Amino acid sequence: TAQEAGQAATIFAKENTIPYIHPYDHPDIWHGHSTMIDEVAKESIKPDAVIVSVGGAGLACGVLEGMHRNSWTNVPLFLVETKGADVFAQSVKAKQPITLTKITSLATSLGASYITPKLFEWAKKHPIHNIVVSDKAAESSTRSFAKDMRILVELASGASLSLIYDDH
């Protein structure tokens, strides 16, 4: 599992005295992701909304960092998950971060067992809407996008695309 891989990486880093940066729960990761928003802000107008697929929320935290740095503080962020990998939606419902015991979604790259607590901090200061879609919706949108754009993306991207293709 991803959790076991993370534990093994932590042990390896400690034994070899090298740094370990968590794949989604670390400020350096968020800052790197935030630069995408800087690039978009330079090249285009302020959007009406931003849509991001969410697993452990590293990308989401980076996007939010970039949005605030570029004064997009009132632009809503839509975070999309697939059922069975919907740790953020379940955490919101529980009003605290939870840990999934099992990932059942086919969109395995969204399959984080927990989200970074930083996303809960962001949720207190930014309009965030979470949406859970089915694997079937993600797959259908992946196929539609491939047909329309001749680009094949994974189910994690299909989850976000389903907001467009399924007219949410």
Side-chain angles (χ1 to χ4, degrees), residues 80-139:
V80 188
E81 301 170 285
T82 51
K83 186 162 179 52
D86 53 341
V87 66
F88 180 58
Q90 291 187 41
S91 295
V92 167
K93 189 175 183 177
K95 296 185 170 89
Q96 65 181 358
I98 62 112
T99 300
L100 293 179
T101 56
K102 187 175 181 182
I103 307 298
T104 59
S105 173
L106 296 175
T108 55
S109 63
L110 296 180
S113 60
Y114 74 94
I115 58 163
T116 174
K118 182 69 175 178
L119 186 56
F120 270 90
E121 292 175 34
W122 277 114
K124 293 176 185 171
K125 57 185 171 184
H126 193 93
I128 296 175
H129 308 279
N130 62 300
I131 298 171
V132 179
V133 300
S134 68
D135 283 336
K136 185 176 180 179
E139 181 182 348

Coordinates of all heavy atoms in Angstrom, one line a residue, residues 80-139:
V80 N -12.6 17.2 -6.6 CA -13.3 16.1 -7.1 C -12.6 14.8 -6.7 O -11.4 14.6 -6.9 CB -13.5 16.2 -8.6 CG1 -14.4 15.1 -9.1 CG2 -14.0 17.5 -9.1
E81 N -13.4 13.9 -6.2 CA -12.9 12.5 -5.8 C -13.8 11.5 -6.4 O -14.9 11.8 -6.7 CB -13.0 12.4 -4.3 CG -12.2 13.4 -3.5 CD -12.5 13.3 -2.0 OE1 -13.6 13.7 -1.6 OE2 -11.6 12.7 -1.3
T82 N -13.3 10.3 -6.5 CA -14.1 9.2 -6.9 C -14.6 8.4 -5.6 O -13.9 8.3 -4.6 CB -13.4 8.2 -7.8 OG1 -12.1 7.8 -7.2 CG2 -13.1 8.8 -9.1
K83 N -15.8 7.9 -5.7 CA -16.3 7.1 -4.6 C -15.4 5.9 -4.3 O -14.9 5.2 -5.3 CB -17.7 6.6 -4.9 CG -18.4 5.8 -3.8 CD -19.9 5.8 -4.0 CE -20.6 5.0 -2.9 NZ -20.3 5.5 -1.6
G84 N -15.0 5.7 -3.1 CA -14.1 4.7 -2.8 C -12.7 5.2 -2.5 O -11.8 4.5 -2.0
A85 N -12.5 6.4 -2.9 CA -11.2 7.1 -2.6 C -11.6 8.5 -2.1 O -10.8 9.5 -2.3 CB -10.3 7.2 -3.9
D86 N -12.7 8.7 -1.5 CA -13.3 10.0 -1.2 C -13.0 10.3 0.3 O -13.8 10.7 1.1 CB -14.8 10.0 -1.4 CG -15.5 8.8 -0.8 OD1 -14.9 7.8 -0.4 OD2 -16.7 9.0 -0.6
V87 N -11.7 10.3 0.6 CA -11.3 10.6 2.0 C -11.6 12.1 2.4 O -11.9 12.3 3.5 CB -9.8 10.3 2.2 CG1 -8.9 11.2 1.4 CG2 -9.4 10.3 3.7
F88 N -11.5 13.0 1.5 CA -11.8 14.4 1.8 C -13.3 14.6 2.1 O -13.7 15.1 3.1 CB -11.4 15.4 0.7 CG -11.7 16.8 1.0 CD1 -11.2 17.4 2.2 CD2 -12.5 17.6 0.2 CE1 -11.5 18.7 2.5 CE2 -12.7 18.9 0.5 CZ -12.2 19.5 1.6
A89 N -14.1 14.0 1.2 CA -15.6 14.1 1.4 C -16.0 13.5 2.8 O -16.8 14.1 3.5 CB -16.3 13.5 0.3
Q90 N -15.4 12.3 3.1 CA -15.7 11.7 4.3 C -15.2 12.5 5.5 O -15.8 12.5 6.6 CB -15.2 10.2 4.3 CG -16.0 9.3 3.4 CD -15.5 7.9 3.5 OE1 -15.3 7.4 4.6 NE2 -15.4 7.2 2.4
S91 N -14.0 13.1 5.4 CA -13.5 13.9 6.4 C -14.3 15.2 6.7 O -14.6 15.6 7.8 CB -12.0 14.3 6.1 OG -11.2 13.2 6.0
V92 N -14.8 15.8 5.6 CA -15.7 16.9 5.7 C -17.0 16.5 6.5 O -17.4 17.2 7.4 CB -16.0 17.5 4.3 CG1 -17.2 18.5 4.4 CG2 -14.8 18.2 3.7
K93 N -17.5 15.4 6.1 CA -18.7 14.9 6.8 C -18.5 14.6 8.2 O -19.3 15.0 9.1 CB -19.2 13.6 6.1 CG -20.6 13.1 6.5 CD -21.0 11.9 5.7 CE -22.4 11.5 6.1 NZ -22.9 10.4 5.3
A94 N -17.3 14.1 8.6 CA -17.0 13.8 10.0 C -16.5 15.1 10.7 O -16.3 15.0 11.9 CB -15.9 12.7 10.0
K95 N -16.3 16.2 10.0 CA -15.8 17.4 10.5 C -14.4 17.3 11.2 O -14.0 18.0 12.0 CB -16.7 18.0 11.6 CG -18.1 18.4 11.0 CD -19.0 19.1 12.0 CE -20.2 19.7 11.4 NZ -21.3 18.9 11.2
Q96 N -13.6 16.3 10.7 CA -12.2 16.1 11.1 C -11.6 15.1 10.1 O -12.3 14.3 9.5 CB -12.2 15.5 12.5 CG -12.7 14.2 12.7 CD -12.7 13.6 14.1 OE1 -12.1 14.3 15.0 NE2 -13.2 12.5 14.3
P97 N -10.3 15.2 10.0 CA -9.6 14.2 9.1 C -9.8 12.8 9.5 O -9.7 12.5 10.7 CB -8.1 14.6 9.2 CG -8.1 16.0 9.7 CD -9.3 16.1 10.6
I98 N -10.1 11.9 8.6 CA -10.3 10.5 8.9 C -9.3 9.7 8.0 O -8.7 10.3 7.2 CB -11.8 10.0 8.5 CG1 -12.1 10.2 7.0 CG2 -12.8 10.8 9.4 CD1 -12.3 8.9 6.3
T99 N -9.2 8.5 8.3 CA -8.3 7.6 7.6 C -9.2 6.5 7.0 O -10.0 5.8 7.7 CB -7.3 6.9 8.5 OG1 -6.5 8.0 9.1 CG2 -6.3 6.0 7.7
L100 N -9.0 6.3 5.7 CA -9.7 5.2 5.0 C -9.0 3.9 5.3 O -7.8 3.9 5.2 CB -9.8 5.5 3.5 CG -10.6 6.6 2.9 CD1 -10.4 6.7 1.4 CD2 -12.0 6.6 3.3
T101 N -9.8 2.9 5.6 CA -9.2 1.6 5.8 C -9.0 0.8 4.5 O -8.1 -0.1 4.5 CB -10.1 0.8 6.8 OG1 -11.4 0.7 6.2 CG2 -10.1 1.4 8.1
K102 N -9.7 1.2 3.5 CA -9.6 0.5 2.2 C -9.9 1.5 1.1 O -10.8 2.3 1.2 CB -10.5 -0.7 2.2 CG -10.4 -1.6 1.0 CD -11.3 -2.8 1.1 CE -11.1 -3.7 -0.1 NZ -12.0 -4.8 0.0
I103 N -9.1 1.4 0.0 CA -9.4 2.2 -1.2 C -10.1 1.2 -2.2 O -9.6 0.2 -2.6 CB -8.1 2.7 -1.9 CG1 -7.3 3.5 -0.9 CG2 -8.5 3.5 -3.1 CD1 -7.9 4.7 -0.3
T104 N -11.3 1.6 -2.6 CA -12.1 0.7 -3.5 C -12.3 1.3 -4.9 O -12.7 0.6 -5.8 CB -13.5 0.3 -2.9 OG1 -14.2 1.5 -2.7 CG2 -13.3 -0.4 -1.6
S105 N -11.9 2.5 -5.1 CA -12.0 3.2 -6.4 C -11.0 2.6 -7.4 O -9.9 2.2 -7.0 CB -11.8 4.7 -6.3 OG -11.7 5.3 -7.5
L106 N -11.4 2.6 -8.7 CA -10.4 2.3 -9.7 C -9.4 3.4 -10.0 O -8.3 3.1 -10.6 CB -11.2 2.0 -11.0 CG -12.1 0.8 -11.0 CD1 -12.9 0.6 -12.3 CD2 -11.3 -0.5 -10.7
A107 N -9.7 4.6 -9.6 CA -8.8 5.7 -9.7 C -7.8 5.7 -8.6 O -7.8 6.5 -7.6 CB -9.6 7.0 -9.7
T108 N -6.9 4.7 -8.7 CA -6.0 4.4 -7.6 C -5.0 5.6 -7.3 O -4.5 5.7 -6.2 CB -5.2 3.1 -7.9 OG1 -4.5 3.3 -9.1 CG2 -6.1 1.9 -7.9
S109 N -4.7 6.4 -8.3 CA -3.8 7.6 -8.0 C -4.5 8.6 -7.0 O -3.8 9.5 -6.5 CB -3.3 8.2 -9.2 OG -4.4 8.8 -10.0
L110 N -5.8 8.5 -6.9 CA -6.5 9.3 -5.9 C -6.6 8.6 -4.5 O -7.1 9.1 -3.6 CB -7.9 9.6 -6.4 CG -8.0 10.5 -7.6 CD1 -9.5 10.7 -8.0 CD2 -7.3 11.8 -7.5
G111 N -6.0 7.4 -4.4 CA -6.2 6.5 -3.3 C -5.3 6.8 -2.1 O -4.6 5.9 -1.7
A112 N -5.4 8.0 -1.5 CA -4.7 8.3 -0.3 C -5.6 7.9 0.9 O -6.8 8.1 0.8 CB -4.4 9.8 -0.2
S113 N -5.0 7.3 1.9 CA -5.8 6.8 3.0 C -6.2 8.0 3.9 O -7.1 7.9 4.7 CB -5.0 5.8 3.8 OG -3.8 6.2 4.3
Y114 N -5.4 9.1 3.8 CA -5.8 10.3 4.6 C -5.4 11.5 3.8 O -4.6 11.5 2.8 CB -5.0 10.3 6.0 CG -3.6 10.6 5.9 CD1 -3.1 11.9 6.1 CD2 -2.6 9.6 5.6 CE1 -1.7 12.2 6.0 CE2 -1.3 9.9 5.5 CZ -0.8 11.2 5.7 OH 0.5 11.4 5.6
I115 N -6.0 12.7 4.2 CA -5.6 13.9 3.5 C -4.7 14.7 4.5 O -4.8 14.6 5.7 CB -6.9 14.8 3.2 CG1 -7.7 15.1 4.4 CG2 -7.7 14.1 2.1 CD1 -8.7 16.2 4.2
T116 N -3.9 15.6 3.9 CA -3.1 16.5 4.7 C -4.0 17.4 5.5 O -5.0 18.0 5.0 CB -2.1 17.3 3.9 OG1 -1.4 18.2 4.8 CG2 -2.7 18.1 2.8
P117 N -3.7 17.6 6.8 CA -4.5 18.5 7.6 C -4.5 19.9 7.1 O -5.4 20.7 7.4 CB -3.9 18.4 9.0 CG -3.2 17.1 9.0 CD -2.8 16.8 7.6
K118 N -3.5 20.3 6.3 CA -3.4 21.6 5.8 C -4.7 22.0 4.9 O -5.1 23.1 4.9 CB -2.2 21.7 4.9 CG -1.9 23.1 4.3 CD -1.6 24.1 5.4 CE -1.2 25.4 4.8 NZ -0.9 26.4 5.8
L119 N -5.3 21.0 4.3 CA -6.5 21.3 3.5 C -7.6 21.8 4.4 O -8.4 22.6 4.0 CB -6.9 20.0 2.7 CG -8.1 20.3 1.7 CD1 -7.8 21.4 0.8 CD2 -8.4 19.0 1.0
F120 N -7.7 21.2 5.6 CA -8.7 21.7 6.5 C -8.5 23.2 6.9 O -9.4 23.9 7.1 CB -8.8 20.8 7.8 CG -9.8 19.7 7.6 CD1 -9.3 18.5 7.1 CD2 -11.1 19.8 8.0 CE1 -10.2 17.5 7.0 CE2 -12.0 18.8 7.8 CZ -11.6 17.6 7.3
E121 N -7.2 23.6 7.1 CA -6.9 25.0 7.3 C -7.3 25.8 6.2 O -7.9 26.9 6.4 CB -5.4 25.1 7.5 CG -4.8 24.5 8.8 CD -3.3 24.6 8.9 OE1 -2.8 25.6 8.4 OE2 -2.7 23.7 9.4
W122 N -7.0 25.4 4.9 CA -7.5 26.1 3.8 C -9.0 26.3 3.7 O -9.5 27.3 3.3 CB -6.9 25.5 2.5 CG -5.5 25.8 2.1 CD1 -4.5 25.0 2.1 CD2 -5.0 27.1 1.8 NE1 -3.3 25.7 1.7 CE2 -3.7 27.0 1.5 CE3 -5.6 28.4 1.6 CZ2 -2.8 28.0 1.1 CZ3 -4.8 29.4 1.2 CH2 -3.5 29.3 1.0
A123 N -9.7 25.2 4.1 CA -11.1 25.2 4.0 C -11.8 26.3 4.9 O -12.9 26.7 4.6 CB -11.7 23.8 4.3
K124 N -11.0 26.7 5.9 CA -11.6 27.8 6.7 C -11.4 29.2 6.1 O -12.1 30.1 6.6 CB -10.8 27.7 8.1 CG -11.1 26.5 8.9 CD -10.3 26.5 10.1 CE -10.6 25.1 10.9 NZ -9.6 24.9 12.0
K125 N -10.6 29.3 5.1 CA -10.3 30.6 4.5 C -10.5 30.7 3.0 O -10.3 31.7 2.4 CB -8.9 31.1 4.9 CG -7.8 30.2 4.5 CD -6.5 30.8 5.1 CE -5.3 29.8 4.9 NZ -4.1 30.3 5.4
H126 N -11.0 29.7 2.4 CA -11.3 29.7 1.0 C -12.5 28.9 0.6 O -12.8 27.8 1.2 CB -10.0 29.1 0.2 CG -10.1 29.4 -1.2 ND1 -9.5 30.4 -1.8 CD2 -10.7 28.7 -2.2 CE1 -9.7 30.4 -3.1 NE2 -10.5 29.4 -3.4
P127 N -13.3 29.4 -0.4 CA -14.5 28.6 -0.8 C -14.1 27.3 -1.5 O -13.6 27.3 -2.6 CB -15.2 29.6 -1.7 CG -14.2 30.5 -2.2 CD -13.2 30.6 -1.1
I128 N -14.3 26.2 -0.8 CA -14.0 24.9 -1.4 C -15.3 24.0 -1.5 O -16.0 24.0 -0.5 CB -13.0 24.1 -0.5 CG1 -11.6 24.9 -0.5 CG2 -12.8 22.7 -1.0 CD1 -10.6 24.3 0.4
H129 N -15.5 23.4 -2.6 CA -16.7 22.6 -2.8 C -16.1 21.2 -3.1 O -15.4 21.0 -4.1 CB -17.6 23.1 -3.9 CG -17.9 24.5 -3.8 ND1 -19.0 24.9 -3.0 CD2 -17.4 25.6 -4.3 CE1 -19.1 26.2 -3.0 NE2 -18.1 26.7 -3.9
N130 N -16.6 20.2 -2.4 CA -16.1 18.8 -2.7 C -17.2 18.1 -3.4 O -18.4 18.2 -3.0 CB -15.5 18.1 -1.5 CG -16.5 17.9 -0.4 OD1 -17.1 18.8 0.1 ND2 -16.8 16.6 -0.1
I131 N -16.8 17.3 -4.4 CA -17.8 16.5 -5.2 C -17.2 15.1 -5.4 O -16.0 15.0 -5.7 CB -18.0 17.2 -6.6 CG1 -18.6 18.6 -6.4 CG2 -18.9 16.3 -7.5 CD1 -18.6 19.4 -7.7
V132 N -18.1 14.2 -5.1 CA -17.7 12.8 -5.3 C -18.4 12.2 -6.5 O -19.6 12.4 -6.7 CB -18.1 11.9 -4.1 CG1 -17.7 10.5 -4.3 CG2 -17.4 12.5 -2.8
V133 N -17.6 11.6 -7.4 CA -18.2 11.1 -8.7 C -17.9 9.6 -8.7 O -17.0 9.1 -8.0 CB -17.6 11.7 -9.9 CG1 -18.0 13.2 -9.9 CG2 -16.1 11.5 -10.1
S134 N -18.6 8.8 -9.5 CA -18.4 7.4 -9.6 C -17.2 7.1 -10.5 O -16.8 8.0 -11.3 CB -19.6 6.7 -10.2 OG -19.8 7.1 -11.6
D135 N -16.6 5.9 -10.4 CA -15.6 5.5 -11.3 C -16.1 5.5 -12.7 O -15.4 5.8 -13.7 CB -15.1 4.1 -11.0 CG -14.2 4.0 -9.7 OD1 -13.5 5.0 -9.4 OD2 -14.1 2.9 -9.1
K136 N -17.4 5.1 -12.9 CA -18.0 5.1 -14.2 C -18.0 6.5 -14.9 O -17.7 6.6 -16.0 CB -19.4 4.5 -14.1 CG -20.1 4.3 -15.4 CD -21.4 3.6 -15.3 CE -22.1 3.5 -16.6 NZ -23.4 2.8 -16.6
A137 N -18.3 7.5 -14.1 CA -18.4 8.9 -14.6 C -16.9 9.3 -15.0 O -16.7 9.9 -16.0 CB -18.9 9.8 -13.6
A138 N -16.0 8.9 -14.1 CA -14.6 9.3 -14.4 C -14.1 8.6 -15.7 O -13.5 9.2 -16.6 CB -13.7 8.9 -13.3
E139 N -14.5 7.3 -15.9 CA -14.1 6.6 -17.1 C -14.7 7.1 -18.3 O -14.1 7.3 -19.3 CB -14.4 5.1 -16.9 CG -14.0 4.3 -18.1 CD -14.4 2.8 -18.0 OE1 -14.8 2.3 -16.9 OE2 -14.3 2.1 -19.0

